[in-house]
Amino acid sequence: MLKVYLDPCTVNCRKVLAGLDLMGAPFEQVHVDYFTGGHKSPDYMAINPNAALPAAVDGDLMLPESNAILMYAAEINGADDYYPRDPKIRADIHRWMLWEAATWFPSCYVYLVEYVVKPLLGAEPDAEVIAKEAPNWHKLAGILDARLAQSRWLTGDHVTVADIAVAAPMHLHPQQRLPVADHPNLQRWMVEGIEKLPSWQRTQPAVLNALGLG
Ligand SMILES: N[C@@H](CCC(=O)N[C@@H](CS)C(=O)NCC(=O)O)C(=O)O
């Protein structure tokens, strides 16, 4: 069975938990404590040399990268509803998941650090850091908003792993103070789509509890 090493409070771990839940994939969860640096231990780094969470193991396969884990889990579980085999839909899913990891996650992460992580550590958010990132965040959010003006979910009428991947970096959007209200289609998708999914709701308490926000 797929073994997944994670700490549910982090963005990319929550992504994997919500995605595996969505597709009903069986897995064994191994807790690696992010705040005490469990991801930097030699044992964990033998699995993921990037010293980042999450990672998965299936027999001799060691698989870092949250999006790669979701694609693999969908493949071995035949979760075609959430990772359709149609080449054009699949290409579109890959496009959004690659875009998420390369650009969307880093931008949303700036807000997460300033408005969630720093206050947790007793530090003040830096308004200048946010002001510097804001134009880039709005540019990216506008790309999502334009896409979501055309369909209910990112790649059409059905929710897929791409929706979960792109939603994860904004999973604490009220606390992150992400200005989602400026992008009505993005807001509708997040609040009335993603946040209504049972798999999303089931994986929210662990995040809030771990961060003391519950
Ligand atoms: N592209 C990677 C990013 C993984 C990542 O950056 N994970 C964060 C937690 S969300 C982490 O463990 N960072 C290492 C650190 O903060 O020391 C993925 O999608 O899995």
Side-chain angles (χ1 to χ4, degrees):
M1 186 188 306
L2 192 66
K3 223 184 228 191
V4 188
Y5 294 74
L6 51 78
D7 184 329
C9 75
T10 80
V11 167
N12 289 299
C13 295
R14 197 280 169 80
K15 178 199 292 177
V16 167
L17 281 175
L20 294 177
D21 188 299
L22 181 76
M23 64 179 89
F27 66 101
E28 183 190 331
Q29 186 171 330
V30 182
H31 187 81
V32 179
D33 198 87
Y34 179 73
F35 282 111
T36 56
H39 55 297
K40 294 176 185 160
S41 74
D43 282 357
Y44 179 74
M45 284 182 67
I47 299 167
N48 184 355
N50 300 295
L53 292 166
V57 173
D58 190 12
D60 59 0
L61 174 70
M62 294 192 188
L63 191 62
E65 292 299 327
S66 55
N67 289 338
I69 295 168
L70 286 182
M71 292 177 206
Y72 178 71
E75 197 71 67
I76 60 172
N77 288 287
D80 295 358
D81 286 351
Y82 304 108
Y83 189 43
R85 293 194 176 273
D86 178 282
K88 287 188 176 152
I89 298 179
R90 203 166 262 210
D92 203 23
I93 290 173
H94 292 170
R95 167 257 173 120
W96 286 114
M97 292 174 93
L98 290 163
W99 180 86
E100 180 271 327
T103 63
W104 183 236
F105 168 68
S107 184
C108 293
Y109 193 67
V110 173
Y111 289 74
L112 187 78
V113 168
E114 293 305 319
Y115 290 130
V116 179
V117 178
K118 279 192 177 174
L120 275 177
L121 301 175
E124 289 292 316
D126 185 338
E128 270 180 39
V129 171
I130 295 294
K132 194 165 164 231
E133 183 57 28
N136 184 46
W137 189 87
H138 282 290
K139 181 190 81 180
L140 299 172
I143 291 168
L144 281 173
D145 192 70
R147 180 66 191 88
L148 289 162
Q150 296 166 33
S151 58
R152 184 168 171 211
W153 299 101
L154 261 184
T155 62
D157 295 337
H158 300 283
V159 62
T160 71
V161 287
D163 292 283
I164 299 294
V166 171
M170 22 180 332
H171 72 155
L172 295 172
H173 63 94
Q175 294 89 348
Q176 283 170 273
R177 300 195 212 166
L178 289 173
V180 286
D182 293 357
H183 304 275
N185 298 294
L186 177 61
Q187 185 177 42
R188 182 215 75 228
W189 166 82
M190 188 66 189
V191 175
E192 285 158 35
I194 296 290
E195 290 175 349
K196 294 267 163 43
L197 292 170
S199 50
W200 192 263
Q201 293 174 352
R202 277 192 289 266
T203 48
Q204 184 84 346
V207 178
L208 298 178
N209 291 341
L211 297 173
L213 301 169

